[in-house]
Amino acid sequence: MELFPTKDQGLTSQEALARRQAFGLNALPAQPRIALWRRFVQQFRSPLIYVLLFAFGIGIAIWSHEGANGMPIESVAIAIILLLNAGLGVFQESKSERALNALCEMTAPVVWAMRDGSLARTPASELVPGDIVRIEAGDRVPADGNLIGPEGAVIDESVLSGESIPVEKEPGSEVFSGTLIVRGKNFLEVRRTGEESTMGRLAMMIGDIHADPTPLEQRLKVFGNQIARVILVLVLVITIGGLLVEGVGRINHVFLFAVALAVAAIPEGLPAVLTLTLALGVERMAKRKAVVRRLSAVESLGSVTVIATDKTGTLTENRMFVKALDSPDLEQALRAMVLANDAEDMSRAGDPLELALLEYAQQRGIEVAGLREKHPRHSHRPFDSSSKYMRVTVHDGDERRSYLKGAPEVVLGQSLMAENERRTWEEKSEAHAREGYRVLGLGHRFGEGEHDIEFLGLVLLWDPPRKEVPDAISRAQDAGIRVVMITGDHPATALSVAREIGIHAGRVLIGSEIEAMSGQSLLRAVRETNVFARMVPESKLRLIEAFKQNGEIIAMTGDGVNDAPALKRSDVGIAMGERGSDVAREVADLVIVDDNFASIVAAVEEGRNIYENIQKFIRFLFSTNLAETLIVVVGVFGAALIGLSEKTGGVLLPLTAVQLLWINIITDGLPALALGLDRDSGVMLQPPRSPRSPLLDRDSLRFIFAAGCILAGIGGALLVVMPHLGFTSEQTRTAIFLQFTLGKLLFAYPARRSGTRGDGTGFNIGLHLSIALSAGLQLSTVLLSPLRELLGLEPVTAGLIVIVATAALLGWIAAEVSSQLCKRHITHGPIASDVVIP
């Protein structure tokens, strides 16, 4: 039986299209979309929103108690804010869902299918019954079908049966979608697809699967619960105190004060801003060829201290070509290059190394298809990372002949030759490897077997480093990230490439040495070794464990099925999009679409930027919300002491509930969203962040407290001074409102820089425009009479404008000074006492 199907096998494009229309796409049943109304209702499931709903209810109750006259301004404002917040949440979730679907399409499995007489790259979703598909180790079986190649395969069916032992399948055996090819290369004739396949029927029974929240989302949820509890306790205490001071007859006024306090303390825009920042960050990473499969990877990327990368295709171009063939028997060596080879010359399907061998043989006059047809396969042993060679036995007339291809030291070890001759070939191999070539050994023998072979020489292959890799490695090292190479190549080849691309290579460790080392010896060795060669899966896993025991946060690249355990064990598993196996992509946190190391460094940069931006808008929101809480709580007691009162006779509230809602949404919302778009050019000039460090460290807390006190202190000063200058209580409150809103807008700039590990000087047009727009909206509140009446403001005079402008400017200068003082004391390590968000 032939190794490859003949050209009259498979379907034509027209037949495939007709069958796809009849049978549908080869995809699992889509999860039903959440109804819009249900998604809208889900936006109210938050402790912070519960507090606002409580405040809304209190406002409605007071309005009803007072005879339902006029409009309940506070309650209407709260309702509008709740609806806007829910609407924005629905919009962001829908946008994130669309983005996720687009990212899934970028990493959707693609297979080699026979179409129009030749193998073609085809999305697995477009397979139909009757298709002929090429499958190999590391692939997921894309649909139910039968093996039709000359040999069987070893398949892991644990996803269906739960049995961990792989099952051997003979030619003609049925295989099932979703199972994993562990060993072998073969062809599959598709029988059932989509919902009719085994995996499709299983998916129908399983139902919905929900993704877990990321660690950051979990921490913020816990923090939200804490804020809600603190606010409710504070409101309760203040309400009881207010009733004791004002008396039960002023209960409505006391409750309105409680509503104002709750509104002041709640960062209403936090959930929406967080969602938007993560969604935009993930989209930016995708544009830079890094597709996030798990959002937790966004957080982990900023903490990575070691990137363990493969060489071929990641650091190099994966564009192999044969530089030379050193052989005593050129004819048999060329035959070995063609016959001990699983690549397809017509469709260019197969490993780049094997395609390079075919191309070289063709250039030397070998007709690949004819040679394979003349010498059909009898049996073969596929390449394995532990054995480091492959063997093919073919029919040669009435006899059989075996060809071997693999690591030179392995092929030489199984050859029949004198010791001095073997040593000569080994020295040649070493010399070529030191020059940076990847070296393969070839051999053959009569009959079926793998020992006592005749050595056929050495193949010198060259895979040039990617041009952008040296700069990317330099940027990673400047960011405090150590880059190590893990490869199956010869140590000398690995060392040569490492030196060329800028990896600081001292000693080189090989897999067998790692396996022989004691635990402590390995821990010491990995601290000083950056190049690891001749690695096998077991050695990779042990190496990852050693790095983690040394306290490193490690990101590892992988592409094969054997890399899956180490990818899963690493802190950030990175699969290759072009040459990565399905199973490697499944266990990975990140998929690099173009297999380029530079894209990994770009992903780290984006991950750090996302985390920095989250810190920026949290500093901004928390500092200003602290200021609001202080001005409401301290200001009302100050107003009581100095005798400031409302027109109705109650103690003057420095800011009313409706004014605070306006401030929190209009003033906070746009700048906070714009901070999520920030780009810090300096994030790659700082060391990695400890994963145990709090979201807000001591310096960020120092800024929040200082800035909040500054803003509230200036508002309190206006509350005391302005009545002595002849301004009314209402004019005083108008001045505090304007000073507070304009001051908060200016606080976005020091909040952007304080505590950040980048320089924070990147030009953010969105931030400047959002502040300008928000400032214009604030001025409209005193210039437009409808807004003025809605917010309970007074017309402004020239003197009031001067006071407000001066106060806002002084507050901004003080916040900038505070920001710079905090920035001088930035710490990076974990500080237990700093934990705000656990």
Side-chain angles (χ1 to χ4, degrees):
M1 193 175 190
E2 294 178 337
L3 173 62
F4 301 101
T6 57
K7 290 191 175 182
D8 60 353
Q9 290 178 307
L11 303 174
T12 65
S13 298
Q14 291 78 8
E15 288 173 333
L17 178 60
R19 296 191 186 193
R20 190 158 60 248
Q21 291 172 344
F23 294 100
L25 289 173
N26 179 39
L28 297 181
Q31 300 295 339
R33 295 190 63 180
I34 301 175
L36 191 63
W37 69 267
R38 189 182 298 276
R39 182 167 289 180
F40 183 80
V41 170
Q42 288 174 350
Q43 305 305 314
F44 294 90
R45 295 178 181 176
S46 163
L48 299 179
I49 299 301
Y50 295 155
V51 176
L52 283 180
L53 288 171
F54 174 75
F56 170 78
I58 291 292
I60 290 293
I62 293 172
W63 176 67
S64 300
H65 183 263
E66 292 180 343
N69 296 319
M71 182 180 293
I73 299 298
E74 287 82 1
S75 295
V76 170
I78 292 175
I80 291 173
I81 296 308
L82 287 170
L83 293 174
L84 284 175
N85 193 64
L88 182 60
V90 170
F91 170 75
Q92 288 303 330
E93 282 190 9
S94 302
K95 181 183 172 96
S96 298
E97 186 177 57
R98 290 193 298 270
L100 181 61
N101 291 337
L103 296 180
C104 289
E105 290 177 5
M106 291 176 66
T107 56
V110 179
V111 298
W112 288 100
M114 290 290 294
R115 291 286 170 84
D116 300 314
S118 64
L119 284 170
R121 294 292 277 172
T122 306
S125 60
E126 296 183 5
L127 293 178
V128 294
D131 263 325
I132 305 297
V133 180
R134 185 181 193 266
I135 54 177
E136 60 183 318
D139 291 345
R140 288 280 179 193
V141 177
D144 290 0
N146 297 92
L147 298 177
I148 61 171
E151 300 173 9
V154 178
I155 298 181
D156 178 358
E157 295 184 340
S158 58
V159 68
L160 299 178
S161 66
E163 178 58 54
S164 59
I165 300 175
V167 179
E168 293 207 21
K169 297 281 187 176
E170 299 295 329
S173 298
E174 186 175 19
V175 295
F176 306 103
S177 61
T179 56
L180 173 67
I181 308 295
V182 176
R183 190 169 66 244
K185 290 180 180 168
N186 215 309
F187 283 86
L188 169 75
E189 183 176 6
V190 175
R191 299 295 187 191
R192 294 182 299 275
T193 60
E195 295 183 10
E196 297 301 317
S197 69
T198 303
M199 190 56 68
R201 293 195 300 272
L202 182 62
M204 294 289 287
M205 291 186 291
I206 291 175
D208 294 346
I209 298 175
H210 300 284
D212 293 330
T214 69
L216 175 62
E217 291 171 328
Q218 291 171 345
R219 284 191 286 173
L220 286 172
K221 181 179 179 181
V222 171
F223 187 60
N225 292 335
Q226 292 173 342
I227 292 177
R229 286 195 291 268
V230 170
I231 291 171
L232 288 175
V233 170
L234 185 60
V235 166
L236 181 61
V237 170
I238 295 296
T239 301
I240 293 173
L243 290 174
L244 292 175
V245 174
E246 295 267 359
V248 179
R250 300 286 298 170
I251 189 171
N252 290 353
H253 186 76
V254 171
F255 275 140
L256 283 177
F257 169 67
V259 169
L261 177 61
V263 169
I266 294 175
E268 292 91 343
L270 181 60
V273 174
L274 175 65
T275 302
L276 178 65
T277 300
L278 284 172
L280 290 177
V282 169
E283 283 186 28
R284 283 199 309 214
M285 292 175 76
K287 289 177 182 177
R288 300 183 74 173
K289 308 298 184 183
V291 177
V292 177
R293 296 194 72 252
R294 293 176 180 84
L295 274 178
S296 56
V298 174
E299 302 164 58
S300 302
L301 279 170
S303 301
V304 165
T305 59
V306 174
I307 298 177
T309 175
D310 188 17
K311 178 182 73 69
T312 304
T314 307
L315 300 175
T316 62
E317 294 182 4
N318 200 25
R319 187 173 52 83
M320 306 286 292
F321 61 91
V322 177
K323 190 74 171 180
L325 172 61
D326 185 358
S327 173
D329 188 342
L330 187 60
E331 180 183 357
Q332 288 297 336
L334 291 172
R335 287 189 175 190
M337 293 167 71
V338 172
L339 298 175
N341 193 315
D342 287 328
E344 167 63 72
D345 64 314
M346 296 297 293
S347 64
R348 308 299 293 171
D351 186 276
L353 182 148
E354 295 191 322
L355 289 170
L357 298 180
L358 293 184
E359 185 177 346
Y360 183 84
Q362 288 174 321
Q363 292 172 354
R364 297 301 179 274
I366 300 295
E367 207 278 299
V368 173
L371 182 63
R372 284 175 166 172
E373 186 176 353
K374 184 178 179 181
H375 299 283
R377 283 190 182 182
H378 169 71
S379 67
H380 89 295
R381 174 176 179 170
F383 179 85
D384 185 87
S385 58
S386 57
S387 64
K388 298 186 179 67
Y389 72 91
M390 77 173 292
R391 185 266 306 164
V392 171
T393 300
V394 300
H395 294 281
D396 189 3
D398 295 331
E399 298 179 338
R400 292 172 185 163
R401 189 188 296 264
S402 297
Y403 292 94
L404 272 72
K405 175 192 72 183
E409 64 270 22
V410 175
V411 179
L412 281 168
Q414 299 185 166
S415 64
L416 290 170
M417 65 172 59
E419 187 60 33
N420 61 337
E421 186 181 1
R422 179 181 287 107
R423 192 158 45 249
T424 299
W425 282 107
E426 287 174 347
E427 290 172 356
K428 280 187 177 183
S429 176
E430 290 280 350
H432 294 316
R434 282 194 297 272
E435 294 172 357
Y437 294 111
R438 182 170 183 178
V439 186
L440 283 180
L442 302 174
H444 79 130
R445 57 161 289 175
F446 288 102
E448 185 173 9
E450 300 160 1
H451 301 284
D452 300 332
I453 66 171
E454 178 184 346
F455 189 67
L456 292 176
L458 301 173
V459 183
L460 277 60
L461 294 116
W462 176 247
D463 182 12
R466 293 179 183 263
K467 294 179 181 178
E468 61 273 23
V469 163
D471 178 64
I473 288 177
S474 176
R475 294 185 66 230
Q477 292 167 346
D478 289 342
I481 301 172
R482 183 176 159 204
V483 181
V484 302
M485 178 195 296
I486 301 179
T487 179
D489 281 353
H490 191 282
T493 305
L495 190 60
S496 174
V497 174
R499 287 170 176 163
E500 185 172 349
I501 60 179
I503 292 180
H504 305 305
R507 62 183 295 192
V508 180
L509 275 180
I510 62 174
S512 58
E513 292 175 333
I514 290 175
E515 290 301 311
M517 283 183 174
S518 66
Q520 289 302 316
S521 298
L522 181 58
L523 293 181
R524 288 192 297 270
V526 298
R527 293 191 188 106
E528 59 188 33
T529 306
N530 291 330
V531 179
F532 302 88
R534 290 298 188 221
M535 296 292 287
V536 296
E538 296 77 14
S539 302
K540 288 184 181 180
L541 187 57
R542 190 159 184 240
L543 188 63
I544 297 300
E545 294 283 2
F547 275 117
K548 291 175 72 72
Q549 288 178 36
N550 277 339
E552 305 285 4
I553 308 299
I554 186 164
M556 179 193 164
T557 70
D559 55 11
V561 60
N562 291 328
D563 292 328
L567 284 174
K568 196 169 184 178
R569 186 68 185 93
S570 62
D571 296 286
V572 181
I574 303 174
M576 300 295 104
E578 291 183 351
R579 57 190 169 84
S581 64
D582 291 345
V583 70
R585 287 195 290 267
E586 285 176 18
V587 302
D589 304 294
L590 203 67
V591 176
I592 301 301
V593 177
D594 59 356
D595 293 8
N596 192 339
F597 180 83
S599 298
I600 300 174
V601 178
V604 171
E605 182 180 6
E606 289 295 347
R608 288 189 177 190
N609 258 311
I610 291 170
Y611 207 83
E612 292 290 347
N613 290 346
I614 290 172
Q615 286 193 309
K616 289 174 187 178
F617 67 68
I618 287 180
R619 280 196 299 272
F620 173 65
L621 291 175
F622 286 5
S623 62
T624 54
N625 278 78
L626 173 63
E628 292 173 29
T629 305
L630 289 175
I631 193 65
V632 169
V633 175
V634 178
V636 75
F637 286 106
L641 289 175
I642 63 178
L644 293 179
S645 60
E646 303 269 6
K647 291 178 180 179
T648 57
V651 175
L652 178 73
L653 287 177
L655 293 169
T656 66
V658 68
Q659 289 171 352
L660 288 165
L661 282 168
W662 176 275
I663 292 171
N664 281 3
I665 299 302
I666 302 302
T667 312
D668 286 358
L670 289 177
L673 289 171
L675 285 173
L677 303 172
D678 222 354
R679 302 299 294 268
D680 277 345
S681 58
V683 292
M684 294 301 283
L685 298 176
Q686 301 293 330
R689 178 182 298 277
S690 168
R692 295 179 296 278
S693 64
L695 187 60
L696 293 178
D697 58 21
R698 179 180 300 165
D699 301 288
S700 293
L701 291 175
R702 186 181 292 120
F703 171 80
I704 289 171
F705 182 75
C709 289
I710 289 169
L711 191 57
I714 292 175
L718 293 179
L719 184 67
V720 173
V721 171
M722 289 190 67
H724 293 289
L725 297 177
F727 291 96
T728 66
S729 298
E730 286 71 23
Q731 286 177 319
T732 299
R733 182 155 60 194
T734 299
I736 293 173
F737 173 75
L738 290 175
Q739 172 267 330
F740 221 91
T741 52
L742 296 177
K744 286 186 70 171
L745 290 174
L746 293 175
F747 271 34
Y749 293 109
R752 183 189 185 204
R753 287 184 283 272
S754 175
T756 185
R757 295 162 340 127
D759 57 19
T761 58
F763 184 71
N764 186 344
I765 184 64
L767 179 63
H768 306 318
L769 289 176
S770 68
I771 289 177
L773 177 60
S774 297
L777 287 171
Q778 292 311 125
L779 293 176
S780 70
T781 61
V782 291
L783 297 177
L784 301 178
S785 56
L787 276 178
R788 204 166 52 233
E789 292 175 9
L790 175 67
L791 295 171
L793 302 174
E794 293 291 313
V796 295
T797 62
L800 190 144
I801 291 175
V802 171
I803 291 174
V804 168
T806 303
L809 184 61
L810 288 174
W812 172 64
I813 293 173
E816 287 286 1
V817 172
S818 174
S819 171
Q820 293 305 312
L821 290 175
C822 292
K823 197 171 177 64
R824 293 179 185 176
H825 300 92
I826 292 175
T827 55
H828 302 288
I831 304 172
S833 62
D834 287 348
V835 178
V836 175
I837 299 180

